[in-house]
Amino acid sequence: ITAETFKMVCGAVGKRVKELSAGGLEIRHAAVKYRNPANAATGEEAALIERFANEAALTSVERKLEREDGVWYSVTRPIYMERACLSCHGDRDKRPDFIIKKYPEDRAYGFKDGDLRGIITVTAPLGAEGQ
């Protein structure tokens, strides 16, 4: 994998998240073993990750949230590793140099195919009736 491949694959995902977020959705990736510190799991997110790890049949967690800015609905799903991800998230010593340089505090390695990587949560405002 090269920096260009990383930009085309992972960068495209990040770009799409920004586009959707501009439309009113909140989208957050979180992990305990994170690469970007901005994606470090909060205590609540770490508990959700642990729940997905311990409940194999669990595919999503849905919640209604009462916030200062209104009522929101969120869906959290697990993110699992795929073989293609292991070039950057597999063995620590086999990570590409551009990953090591860009993320000196990287914790997102040591995964195997099928491992739970983290979570993604999509949150959206509910209508005026809270439905």
Side-chain angles (χ1 to χ4, degrees):
I1 187 167
T2 65
E4 188 61 30
T5 306
F6 179 80
K7 184 178 176 182
M8 287 177 14
V9 177
C10 300
V13 171
K15 181 180 176 186
R16 184 66 178 137
V17 165
K18 286 181 185 177
E19 291 170 358
L20 291 170
S21 296
L25 295 176
E26 293 178 0
I27 302 171
R28 177 162 162 75
H29 294 91
V32 174
K33 290 175 62 175
Y34 55 86
R35 175 156 287 154
N36 182 337
N39 298 328
T42 65
E44 182 179 357
E45 290 167 334
L48 281 171
I49 292 167
E50 185 70 21
R51 187 170 169 204
F52 283 113
N54 291 326
E55 299 177 36
L58 186 64
T59 59
S60 69
V61 173
E62 300 178 19
R63 297 173 291 158
K64 187 175 177 180
L65 308 169
E66 304 280 339
R67 301 186 345 182
E68 289 181 15
D69 57 348
V71 180
W72 292 65
Y73 178 77
S74 80
V75 177
T76 301
R77 298 200 66 189
I79 300 170
Y80 292 100
M81 295 302 300
E82 296 179 9
R83 193 175 351 211
C85 305
L86 298 178
S87 295
C88 294
H89 292 285
D91 293 335
R92 178 182 185 195
D93 297 334
K94 293 183 180 178
R95 292 173 299 150
D97 286 339
F98 72 91
I99 292 289
I100 295 167
K101 289 176 186 169
K102 185 172 182 176
Y103 301 101
E105 301 299 318
D106 184 17
R107 299 177 182 187
Y109 53 82
F111 291 98
K112 305 279 186 253
D113 190 18
D115 282 353
L116 177 63
R117 166 77 176 88
I119 56 174
I120 182 168
T121 301
V122 178
T123 307
L126 288 176
E129 297 82 36
Q131 299 181 21

